[in-house]
Amino acid sequence: KISLPNEALIVVKSEFFILQVRDGIVKRTLIKKGLSNTQFFEVLSNEINENSKVIVEGKAMVKDGMKVNISE
């Protein structure tokens, strides 16, 4: 199972999303959220794995479908 920092989570009307980058494009992805604590939450969806590039900081600066460059 994958855990992500709470800063990566977007909540819209009881649905949970994360922003990930695939092929240089921002993709808003619906996820199933599992257990959580004050720092992290568990991702129960298969759309996210250890190789996923998830946006944690600067979420407000990007939108779904936007082309971005990745810097780690």
Side-chain angles (χ1 to χ4, degrees), residues 21-57:
V21 179
R22 282 193 186 159
D23 301 320
I25 304 292
V26 177
K27 181 173 180 352
R28 188 170 94 159
T29 306
L30 179 66
I31 62 159
K32 287 185 179 170
K33 180 174 157 277
L35 299 173
S36 61
N37 61 25
T38 57
Q39 292 182 304
F40 297 97
F41 66 95
E42 184 180 40
V43 179
L44 301 178
S45 308
N46 294 331
E47 291 86 359
I48 306 300
N49 60 45
E50 60 274 359
N51 297 317
S52 296
K53 307 237 183 304
V54 176
I55 297 173
V56 176
E57 294 180 26

